[in-house]
Every structure is written in structure tokens, then in C-alpha cells.
Amino acid sequence: MGGKRSAGLLLYRRAGHGIEVLVGHMGGPFFAGREAGAWSVPKGEYEAEERPEAAARREFAEELGLPAPEGTLIALGDIVQRGGKTVTVWAVEGDLDPADAVPGTFTMEWPRRSGTMRVFPEMDHFAWLAPEVAAPLLVQGQQAFLDRLVLRLADEA
């Protein structure tokens, strides 16, 4: 398998006459103050020896600091992001309070070429949003996962 691969878990809940999805705003200085294109499905890279479904659950737990909900996974397929990374996502129904999240962190030099290493949250906040509200906020390409989930749930209704 060539190229980088990520796996993610899109949590959804039924709300009123529709659904809401849990998405996260990416942390760090590059996304500070940005909304459009700065949100993502909780996801992360995995190695060839790890099952993608297991990686999706692991990454959910790492990014939110909360266990991935149990439940039947709904395969939402793959997308290829602009940088060439293949992202595979599953949806699972569940509920949690975003205020309980304790995001994982990463370390990077900031400001650039300053020699100062700083720690940033991988995702700095999470929100439940209707798919049509979440779509323009998501990283380009990830909107397809929302469309696929909405269609899949409509087929089950």
C-alpha cells in the first residue's frame, strides 16, 4: 500500500428531525482564527500492520481523550486529500459532551526558526453540528463523508 493513510471515526447522534455530527477544530498556530477548512473528522495515520477500523477507534480516543463509542460501524469509504493522503472513515452512533474532551497534543517549533518548541492540542475544540453546517468548515474533501452518512441513514429510514 503506497502513500500515507489515515483512519477516522465520525460520531453522529439523532437530533430533532435530523442528525448532528461531532467534528473537531484543528489545533496549532496554522488553524488559529480560521473556521472554513479548519475542522476535521477525528482521525490519524496508521501503519500497514494495523487494521484501519482499530486505528479509527484508537485515533478517536487519542484526539478526544475519551473512548470511542461502541456500536456498529458504518463504512463511509475513502477520500484522497490534496496532499495525497488516503482517509478512510466509519460512522458510529453515540453521544458525548464535547466539554469532557481532553485532546491529545503535538510539539512543534513555533514561531518557525525560533528554536522554541511549543506544545499544541491536536484539536482545540469539538462541536456537534448539523451536516450542512459542518460541511463548509471541514477540510476539503471530508465533506463527502457527511454526504455519504446522510444518504446511508436516509436509505435505512
Side-chain angles (χ1 to χ4, degrees):
M1 148 173 52
K4 291 186 176 182
R5 298 187 63 83
S6 278
L9 199 59
L10 180 60
L11 189 60
Y12 73 94
R13 67 182 182 186
R14 297 176 196 278
H17 295 295
I19 64 165
E20 292 177 326
V21 294
L22 184 72
V23 293
H25 185 269
M26 293 184 283
F30 301 123
F31 300 101
R34 284 184 45 199
E35 289 295 313
W39 291 70
S40 178
V41 171
K43 63 170 185 52
E45 291 183 11
Y46 65 95
E47 300 298 325
E49 63 275 1
E50 187 175 17
R51 287 184 37 246
E53 298 92 341
R57 289 187 182 278
R58 175 182 52 76
E59 286 293 333
F60 184 94
E62 286 178 12
E63 298 225 345
L64 281 90
L66 300 169
E70 294 299 322
T72 303
L73 295 180
I74 300 171
L76 300 178
D78 302 332
I79 59 137
V80 178
Q81 293 188 162
R82 266 196 291 199
K85 181 188 295 184
T86 299
V87 179
T88 306
V89 169
W90 288 265
V92 64
E93 187 170 7
D95 199 3
L96 60 80
D97 184 346
D100 293 337
V102 181
T105 60
F106 68 95
T107 303
M108 68 178 281
E109 181 182 25
W110 191 257
R112 287 183 177 165
R113 295 181 286 286
S114 68
T116 302
M117 300 302 288
R118 293 191 45 203
V119 176
F120 297 96
E122 288 190 39
M123 293 185 154
D124 55 23
H125 60 281
F126 300 88
W128 285 106
L129 302 172
E132 63 274 13
V133 175
L137 300 176
L138 287 176
V139 171
Q140 188 174 13
Q142 289 188 17
Q143 298 91 344
F145 296 128
L146 301 177
D147 296 339
R148 294 171 190 171
L149 176 61
V150 169
L151 286 172
R152 180 75 180 269
L153 294 177
D155 287 346
E156 293 176 3

